[in-house]
Amino acid sequence: MLVKCDAVCYKACNLQIELFVIIKNKPEKVISPFFNRNSQSYGPITCSIARMKKLLTLFFVVQALGATAQIPDHIYKSNIHSVKLYKYGDIYSYPVMLLNSSDQLELHFDDLDADFKNYYYTYQLCNADWTPANIQSFDYIRGFQTNRITTYRNSSIISTRYTHYQATIPERNSAPTRSGNYLLKVFLNDDTSKLFFTKRFFVVNNKTSVSALITQPFNSGLFRTHQRVQVSVNTVNAQINAFSPQDLKVAVVQNNVWSSGSVIDRPTIFRGNYFEYSDEENTTFQGGKEWRWLDLRSLRLLSDRMAKIVDTNKVRTDIYVKPDGERRSQVYIYYRDINGIYTVENTDGTNPYWQSDYAWVHFTYIPPGNRAYEGRSVYLFGELTAYTPDDASRMIFNEQTGVYEKELFLKQGYYNYSYITLTDKKQSGFTPSLENTEGNYWGTENSYMVLVYFRPFGARADELIGYTLVNSSFQR
């Protein structure tokens, strides 16, 4: 067994291993994968086979842990709040940029430790299913592999102390060179093991023509409650060599909720350069209803959804939201919403980023008959809880009052949210259910993001070659 590494690779801390020969009847000495750091040269040193096995095992375990620990859109540290990433100047947009263009994204977040830290960021290229791509960062990042966030400011004229950090990406000295799914990773002191949070964004190389049509499903059981997305992809000008229809993948995501998204790897109709994806099993989504809303842009005046404001304590403000009931049996009413996201806005100060205060916001949900759902839990759902049903978003049932309650620490802004239910049984993955709390209606206004991926023969990552955003606003 021979483990090989050249000087350049060693200096970059990027170990490459090649196995050439299996040695028989020589158990005592082998060539080591590590190089003598005390030597001026990079010649090999020797070690026992037992030590070699331990070192290789440790190396592959660390690599595996590093690949699985990167959860998309996840905050790892409790002092980080209000992480937002969007197109430059557009607070309502999803972070999407064109390859080799002048497009830029804005990153904003708050550190409630209210001190100064050396935050750095980098990019991680991912496949269509958000697993890390098997490509070295030098192959998809031009310039510096990490960059320091140098724009920050302490909060002012408010009671909550924090430090606001912001960055415009990509910078001129560091930019993605491949299309695909990316994770923006923010970490401390240029040490990638000290990861603080991740955010998704896309780099698109538009090679295809993508269109989508929102219709009612043919299934009679879903006709009045669900929406069907029919996707058409034309590759006539794509200049790609697709050996089979399965070389293309299509992802459909409703309202930025990746847990209910669908990745389709087989077209329903394939004809030359035309691909159609219309299988109801993979392209049907709950209609839901318009998202509930909460206006927190002012902590001095009561908005339409606030019941009361309690700010007797100089360091704490409590906002009590008017109780919400189930809407399953209510008639559908259309009104404008922002499809589950939140925006950082402020009418009490000048700048919303470092002059917006935080408050403890109390939500109350009244179940039918004031009885808890049997075998199911209720969760607050939306970007305010990172679209994740966990202990941080799970509502607690109050036996005395017969209502579900939850409090969240939120920054001033405008919020959309919903209530979902999930079974208490252990399960892998989840699809948020709106049936018990919100109800479903086929004519609800929802936004759908359609992404087209292609992996050339022999490639090690999926390319993002098509993107479109459609809305289910039917004629009313």
Side-chain angles (χ1 to χ4, degrees):
M1 183 169 62
L2 178 64
V3 182
K4 182 181 179 182
C5 180
D6 59 30
V8 175
C9 174
Y10 174 76
K11 289 181 178 178
C13 299
N14 199 359
L15 193 64
Q16 296 179 351
I17 299 176
E18 300 178 10
L19 301 181
F20 288 101
V21 181
I22 298 177
I23 300 177
K24 299 177 66 175
N25 302 322
K26 293 185 179 181
E28 294 185 359
K29 299 288 183 178
V30 296
I31 298 179
S32 169
F34 296 94
F35 288 77
N36 193 342
R37 300 187 180 186
N38 296 325
S39 173
Q40 295 296 326
S41 65
Y42 291 91
I45 59 175
T46 59
C47 65
S48 65
I49 287 181
R51 185 185 176 195
M52 166 71 78
K53 290 181 178 180
K54 290 180 180 179
L55 292 173
L56 288 176
T57 301
L58 177 62
F59 173 76
F60 287 116
V61 167
V62 170
Q63 291 290 94
L65 289 175
T68 58
Q70 299 164 8
I71 306 173
D73 293 335
H74 186 73
I75 297 176
Y76 293 88
K77 304 296 181 180
S78 59
N79 59 302
I80 302 299
H81 283 259
S82 304
V83 180
K84 295 290 292 182
L85 181 64
Y86 46 80
K87 291 182 181 179
Y88 187 84
D90 186 358
I91 61 176
Y92 302 102
S93 63
Y94 202 80
V96 180
M97 54 186 293
L98 296 177
L99 182 66
N100 298 325
S101 71
S102 59
D103 295 349
Q104 288 186 308
L105 308 176
E106 282 188 51
L107 172 67
H108 297 269
F109 66 94
D110 296 335
D111 183 348
L112 266 63
D113 287 343
D115 57 3
F116 165 72
K117 294 185 178 70
N118 286 313
Y119 285 112
Y120 287 76
Y121 69 87
T122 190
Y123 317 115
Q124 170 69 63
L125 179 63
C126 297
N127 295 311
D129 58 358
W130 292 102
T131 57
N134 185 26
I135 298 179
Q136 297 296 327
S137 61
F138 298 99
D139 291 333
Y140 58 82
I141 300 178
R142 179 181 65 248
F144 293 108
Q145 304 300 293
T146 63
N147 279 279
R148 181 168 166 258
I149 299 177
T150 57
T151 304
Y152 57 91
R153 180 163 177 169
N154 293 327
S155 58
S156 62
I157 67 171
I158 56 175
S159 59
T160 305
R161 297 183 65 247
Y162 60 84
T163 304
H164 177 78
Y165 293 83
Q166 66 185 73
T168 301
I169 60 175
E171 297 186 29
R172 289 182 297 176
N173 60 2
S174 177
T177 59
R178 288 174 177 258
S179 64
N181 293 357
Y182 279 85
L183 279 185
L184 177 70
K185 302 194 295 183
V186 176
F187 43 91
L188 187 65
N189 295 332
D190 207 10
D191 185 352
T192 55
S193 66
K194 298 178 180 179
L195 188 62
F196 271 58
F197 66 86
T198 61
K199 289 293 289 183
R200 306 179 205 243
F201 72 97
F202 299 113
V203 178
V204 184
N205 185 11
N206 269 328
K207 295 181 178 180
T208 61
S209 173
V210 186
S211 61
L213 179 65
I214 314 299
T215 62
Q216 292 178 266
F218 294 114
N219 188 326
S220 60
L222 306 176
F223 185 76
R224 301 292 298 175
T225 59
H226 287 60
Q227 296 174 347
R228 170 174 167 264
V229 184
Q230 179 178 318
V231 179
S232 301
V233 180
N234 195 316
T235 62
V236 65
N237 297 319
Q239 297 181 352
I240 60 176
N241 295 319
F243 289 93
S244 71
Q246 287 80 11
D247 287 345
L248 264 67
K249 296 179 182 178
V250 169
V252 183
V253 182
Q254 182 195 57
N255 296 331
N256 303 336
V257 182
W258 285 91
S259 58
S260 62
S262 177
V263 178
I264 313 166
D265 59 2
R266 186 183 299 273
T268 309
I269 299 175
F270 167 63
R271 185 170 59 250
N273 294 314
Y274 177 78
F275 301 76
E276 182 178 300
Y277 301 83
S278 56
D279 182 10
E280 283 200 5
E281 184 178 351
N282 298 313
T283 60
T284 301
F285 297 82
Q286 298 178 94
K289 290 185 179 178
E290 309 303 339
W291 294 73
R292 303 174 194 256
W293 76 93
L294 176 61
D295 189 349
L296 288 180
R297 289 176 290 185
S298 175
L299 300 185
R300 301 175 184 173
L301 303 175
L302 287 175
S303 66
D304 55 347
R305 296 287 302 124
M306 290 185 189
K308 63 178 179 179
I309 302 175
V310 179
D311 58 355
T312 54
N313 191 328
K314 293 183 179 181
V315 296
R316 178 183 172 114
T317 301
D318 290 86
I319 305 293
Y320 290 85
V321 183
K322 292 179 181 179
D324 293 307
E326 64 92 13
R327 299 191 295 174
R328 181 179 56 177
S329 57
Q330 296 181 9
V331 176
Y332 168 77
I333 300 176
Y334 169 76
Y335 52 84
R336 293 185 63 181
D337 62 8
I338 51 177
N339 290 324
I341 70 171
Y342 73 87
T343 59
V344 177
E345 300 180 66
N346 184 350
T347 59
D348 295 334
T350 304
N351 190 288
Y353 300 116
W354 58 79
Q355 292 182 349
S356 292
D357 212 340
Y358 279 84
W360 286 99
V361 183
H362 301 257
F363 294 88
T364 303
Y365 174 76
I366 306 175
N370 294 96
R371 295 182 179 179
Y373 293 106
E374 185 175 352
R376 305 184 74 85
S377 295
V378 178
Y379 297 87
L380 266 171
F381 193 73
E383 191 185 9
L384 79 172
T385 58
Y387 306 102
T388 305
D390 54 14
D391 291 340
S393 60
R394 184 173 179 267
M395 305 191 76
I396 306 300
F397 184 73
N398 190 323
E399 298 284 352
Q400 297 180 347
T401 58
V403 299
Y404 286 92
E405 298 173 335
K406 186 63 183 179
E407 63 177 19
L408 297 178
F409 193 57
L410 301 178
K411 194 176 185 178
Q412 284 183 262
Y414 190 87
Y415 290 80
N416 271 187
Y417 66 96
S418 289
Y419 297 99
I420 65 169
T421 59
L422 288 178
T423 178
D424 293 332
K425 297 180 181 178
K426 292 183 178 180
Q427 55 183 355
S428 59
F430 72 93
T431 299
S433 174
L434 301 167
E435 183 62 33
N436 296 312
T437 54
E438 307 292 348
N440 291 297
Y441 180 66
W442 71 272
T444 303
E445 180 269 323
N446 292 301
S447 65
Y448 290 90
M449 186 164 48
V450 180
L451 306 148
V452 180
Y453 299 92
F454 172 67
R455 177 174 289 199
F457 180 76
R460 294 176 293 168
D462 295 325
E463 297 180 10
L464 183 53
I465 61 172
Y467 166 85
T468 190
L469 186 66
V470 295
N471 195 281
S472 62
S473 295
F474 298 94
Q475 293 183 355
R476 304 179 188 279

